Amino acid sequence: MNKRIIGLTGGIATGKTTVADYLAHTYHLPIFDADIYAREAVAPGSAILQAIATKYGEQILLDDGNLNRVKLGEIIFNQPTERSYIEGLIHPYVGDRLVTAIHHSSVNTLVLVVPLLFEAHMTNLVTEIWVVSCHPEQQLQRLMVRNHLTKSQAQARIDSQMSLTEKKKLANFILENTGNFDELCQQIDRIMQDSEKLL
Ligand code: ATP
């Protein structure tokens, strides 16, 4: 039997992790998170971090050798060319790690949380796409609060991604995370029930 691979994506801070946590706890689905691999890609001592330090100088590193994410954020969320360069280093690494995770997984259904599923051209890794969405003002507010960002910093991060409207057009299932947690969970339950009928 072919594996069912759910690609969970959506805009930044729309609620992907919240959905993934619910799928893990309620449906016991294994979750593979592209963000974890993206962090691994730039771990101290990695070839990618070395390339970044060579290009942007040692000031892109913290004293302990870790990547200075605040500095990197300033570069990539304001300069699209630089963002493309960094993503060109990190996305192939993340893609390889996700492929390995899929191959090593023995379960029939698994979830890949990939914030940049469309932007990084990774849709071929999954068998269905779920897009988590919310109102633009909710997205901005959640991002500002969670990451302690100013309005313009948060907006720059949102604007660096494909728009939610475009992402929703490419989804098999859309989760509108515009209400409370229970309302979100009900939508997830409905998708799980409906999709089981289709499988
Ligand atoms: P990222 O793109 O940065 O990985 P994400 O899409 O995984 O983010 P979450 O971390 O799940 O998003 O949610 C973003 C923030 O919004 C969190 O602080 C979370 O607690 C909050 N949040 C999620 N869903 C709701 C909701 N329905 N009502 C209020 N706050 C919510």
Side-chain angles (χ1 to χ4, degrees):
M1 185 176 143
N2 285 334
K3 280 193 173 90
R4 176 182 185 187
I5 307 174
I6 298 171
L8 187 55
T9 190
I12 185 169
T14 52
K16 297 178 295 295
T17 305
T18 311
V19 173
D21 287 348
Y22 182 75
L23 285 170
H25 290 126
T26 307
Y27 293 94
H28 310 291
L29 297 181
I31 310 289
F32 299 97
D33 187 337
D35 275 349
I36 291 176
Y37 299 133
R39 277 195 286 276
E40 190 183 283
V42 293
S46 66
I48 296 178
L49 186 59
Q50 187 53 54
I52 291 172
T54 302
K55 183 163 169 74
Y56 299 105
E58 294 291 316
Q59 67 270 20
I60 199 76
L61 302 178
L62 296 168
D63 289 343
D64 64 4
N66 275 292
L67 180 62
N68 185 333
R69 296 186 166 276
V70 176
K71 281 232 166 72
L72 185 78
E74 282 163 15
I75 296 171
I76 65 177
F77 294 118
N78 295 302
Q79 301 175 60
T81 317
E82 303 307 322
R83 189 173 69 246
S84 296
Y85 169 75
I86 302 280
E87 289 181 349
L89 295 173
I90 294 175
H91 288 170
Y93 178 92
V94 172
D96 285 349
R97 297 288 278 124
L98 288 170
V99 167
T100 304
I102 294 166
H103 285 153
H104 286 167
S105 173
S106 54
V107 300
N108 287 329
T109 303
L110 53 102
V111 181
L112 306 187
V113 185
V114 189
L116 300 179
L117 186 75
F118 300 116
E119 295 89 335
H121 309 290
M122 290 190 193
T123 52
N124 59 324
L125 296 183
V126 304
T127 58
E128 66 195 79
I129 297 171
W130 295 21
V131 169
V132 187
S133 183
C134 64
H135 298 309
E137 57 276 18
Q138 289 176 312
Q139 184 183 19
L140 190 63
Q141 194 59 32
R142 287 175 190 169
L143 183 55
M144 286 169 66
V145 170
R146 194 197 54 193
N147 290 23
H148 311 290
L149 297 175
T150 64
K151 194 173 175 182
S152 64
Q153 285 171 328
Q155 195 62 57
R157 281 157 177 73
I158 291 170
D159 292 344
S160 76
Q161 299 186 343
M162 184 192 284
S163 76
L164 274 173
T165 310
E166 288 305 309
K167 289 188 178 186
K168 286 201 282 188
K169 285 184 197 159
L170 301 167
N172 298 104
F173 298 100
I174 297 169
L175 291 153
E176 291 290 358
N177 187 16
T178 51
N180 60 29
F181 181 66
D182 284 348
E183 289 170 293
L184 179 64
C185 297
Q186 282 165 21
Q187 293 178 64
I188 299 169
D189 291 339
R190 214 173 303 129
I191 293 175
M192 289 304 285
Q193 281 156 18
D194 290 351
S195 55
E196 247 142 53
K197 281 184 221 143
L198 295 173
L199 289 173

